[in-house]
Amino acid sequence: MDIGEPKRIIEVIPASLPIPGELAPEPAPLEPDHVEPDHVEPDHVEPNHVEPDHVEPAAPGDQGAEP
Amino acid sequence: MTRLSTPEAPGLQIDTSTEPLIAWRTWALTGRRDGSELLLRPVSGRARPWRPREIAEASCRGARFHRAPQTGCTCGLHGTHGFEILRKTKNPTVLGRVAMWGRIIEHEHGYRAQFAYPQRLKLICQFCFWEWGPRCDRPEHVGWFPRNDLIPLCEEHLHLAIRHGMEPHAVLNAARVSQRLLDAYAIDALAI
């Protein structure tokens, strides 16, 4: 199709692209606000104290009884 | 802002702008027999398709190291100032408005641009468009032809086409094809 003689050149740099929203480039993330790092005190944990099982000594005669 | 012309484009004024240019344009349309996978294509048939949701970018096959569009060449994404000139286009099936940006060469009757994307679209019966212009009634049917060509036709011109041996392999509802096209490209209908 003949659109005639050239007249001028235009360099168009649009402020926003005329394309559907989902094609538009993601905006650059904002700089995060300055956040103090969390100060977390470690939990104070007592070491486990485990009482040994108390075992009753076997009564005499229980062991090795013949049927 | 106006700059002096460059050696690349001697004698041509160079302006800059932040507003995309809006132009008229026609396309051919292809798709599957069921009306899916719709794709706008240049009416010349030789250039790359305009894919849905992708920015169309000009390229030039004529010269490998040449930025498109280039003065002294015909490359670039074409658009016209008015729609009347488009009535002479070969086999147009979609008429629309297109936004253009990047490097653009303005001609007497239109533009050649580096980047573009459709803004508004409308299916047209090419016979009605040739005869009456863009304000003709919307076509009722879309014929599906070999090589996935989709051709919108009004009732009268569909029957005329069939009588002259141009029978579509399938006939689709134009309103449904139109809505699918607008959804695919995520744009609105041309309101004329």
Side-chain angles (χ1 to χ4, degrees):
Chain A
M1 180 176 58
D2 181 11
I3 52 173
E5 292 299 311
K7 290 169 50 179
R8 63 172 175 152
I9 295 173
I10 311 167
E11 297 282 355
V12 177
I13 303 171
S16 62
L17 293 180
I19 53 180
E22 59 267 35
L23 292 185
E26 287 291 327
L30 296 171
E31 284 295 320
D33 292 334
H34 178 67
V35 176
E36 288 295 328
D38 289 336
H39 290 287
V40 178
E41 290 294 333
D43 292 333
H44 179 64
V45 178
E46 290 290 334
N48 286 339
H49 291 287
V50 178
E51 293 292 333
D53 292 334
H54 181 66
V55 178
E56 291 287 338
D62 284 348
Q63 296 176 23
E66 293 290 332
Chain B
M1 185 178 94
T2 300
R3 301 207 308 262
L4 297 175
S5 60
T6 66
E8 178 198 279
L12 280 187
Q13 178 179 308
I14 300 176
D15 293 327
T16 57
S17 173
T18 56
E19 286 295 321
L21 299 181
I22 306 297
W24 290 94
R25 187 188 161 96
T26 53
W27 292 264
L29 185 66
T30 58
R32 295 176 68 85
R33 187 186 179 114
D34 61 358
S36 62
E37 296 183 25
L38 297 174
L39 203 54
L40 293 172
R41 292 183 178 275
V43 293
S44 65
R46 294 188 302 271
R48 288 186 290 191
W50 290 41
R51 298 199 172 278
R53 304 170 189 240
E54 290 182 22
I55 295 170
E57 182 174 358
S59 62
C60 187
R61 292 180 184 182
R64 194 181 295 180
F65 302 110
H66 144 147
R67 179 188 174 196
Q70 187 66 255
T71 53
C73 190
T74 56
C75 60
L77 305 172
H78 287 224
T80 59
H81 294 315
F83 50 71
E84 284 299 320
I85 190 175
L86 295 173
R87 292 169 67 186
K88 302 173 198 169
T89 313
K90 179 186 169 191
N91 302 334
T93 53
V94 181
L95 171 69
R97 303 284 274 157
V98 60
M100 302 175 142
W101 67 97
R103 176 184 170 89
I104 300 177
I105 298 175
E106 182 177 12
H107 290 248
E108 288 174 80
H109 305 302
Y111 307 102
R112 290 187 290 127
Q114 183 181 6
F115 301 107
Y117 195 82
Q119 302 296 293
R120 297 280 189 274
L121 296 175
K122 171 184 171 177
L123 296 184
I124 52 174
C125 168
Q126 58 186 273
F127 303 104
C128 291
F129 182 60
W130 175 77
E131 199 168 359
W132 309 111
R135 294 188 175 86
C136 57
D137 290 339
R138 292 175 190 274
E140 291 98 333
H141 310 288
V142 175
W144 183 80
F145 291 86
R147 295 184 303 166
N148 287 340
D149 287 328
L150 288 167
I151 298 180
L153 293 162
C154 65
E155 187 79 27
E156 177 191 346
H157 289 123
L158 173 63
H159 291 300
L160 196 65
I162 292 170
R163 272 211 302 278
H164 288 269
M166 192 178 117
E167 181 156 7
H169 291 211
V171 178
L172 307 173
N173 177 276
R176 287 199 204 112
V177 173
S178 175
Q179 191 56 56
R180 268 194 171 165
L181 182 65
L182 298 175
D183 291 344
Y185 285 83
I187 55 178
D188 293 329
L190 181 67
I192 57 166

